[in-house]
Amino acid sequence: MDFSADSSYLQVSTGSYKRQVYEVPSGKQLVDQAVIDRITWATWTSVLGDEVIGIWSRHAEKADVNCACVSHSGINLVTGDDFGMVKLFDFPCPEKFVRTCFCMVTATSTVDIRISSGFSRRHKMEIFSSLNL
């Protein structure tokens, strides 16, 4: 669940793999894609949407990518998947099958992930992930 930068909208990813955007506080679902495309998000933790199409590999199934998080600077995206892979992408990544900038393997499925506020590719990277042990 993510709020827009002005707290006027909320986005969620459903169990049926749909991204939905709602107006706050009315709760009315927003369906106008042109309006959705103009929203600036304060955070991004969704694995769905045009902005993150590139995180999906050619052979990925819908449930393979479990979590995502955009850096505070808004230029990097980290994902976690069922195969224990933690991948770093440029954000947004609207092109299909984008190559990762960095990849590491964890012991098991990664179900939640965050990037620290001081994240920088040129400095020591801190990625916090909760593993499904």
Side-chain angles (χ1 to χ4, degrees):
M1 176 170 51
D2 301 295
F3 280 94
S4 63
D6 65 1
S7 298
S8 296
Y9 302 98
L10 171 75
Q11 77 171 348
V12 296
S13 299
T14 70
S16 59
Y17 301 98
K18 294 184 180 172
R19 175 184 173 204
Q20 295 178 338
V21 178
Y22 296 92
E23 293 178 351
V24 174
S26 72
K28 180 182 173 193
Q29 186 172 359
L30 189 61
V31 293
D32 185 346
Q33 192 61 46
V35 174
I36 293 170
D37 290 343
R38 290 192 302 271
I39 297 172
T40 300
W41 296 100
T43 60
W44 188 286
T45 57
S46 178
V47 297
L48 305 174
D50 292 340
E51 298 85 345
V52 293
I53 288 174
I55 69 173
W56 297 92
S57 69
R58 279 181 167 65
H59 307 291
E61 295 180 13
K62 286 184 178 179
D64 287 348
V65 181
N66 300 319
C67 51
C69 182
V70 171
S71 63
H72 294 279
S73 63
I75 60 172
N76 299 111
L77 170 75
V78 66
T79 64
D81 65 30
D82 280 347
F83 310 105
M85 303 294 282
V86 175
K87 299 176 183 177
L88 178 67
F89 298 89
D90 290 330
F91 184 79
C93 52
E95 303 297 323
K96 288 185 178 182
F97 318 124
V98 173
R99 297 181 82 186
T100 60
C101 300
F102 173 83
C103 184
M104 94 179 162
V105 180
T106 62
T108 185
S109 176
T110 305
V111 296
D112 193 26
I113 198 157
R114 296 292 178 265
I115 299 177
S116 67
S117 61
F119 173 81
S120 170
R121 280 192 198 170
R122 288 177 269 172
H123 301 100
K124 182 180 176 184
M125 184 171 74
E126 292 182 44
I127 298 178
F128 301 104
S129 65
S130 299
L131 302 177
N132 185 16
L133 299 175

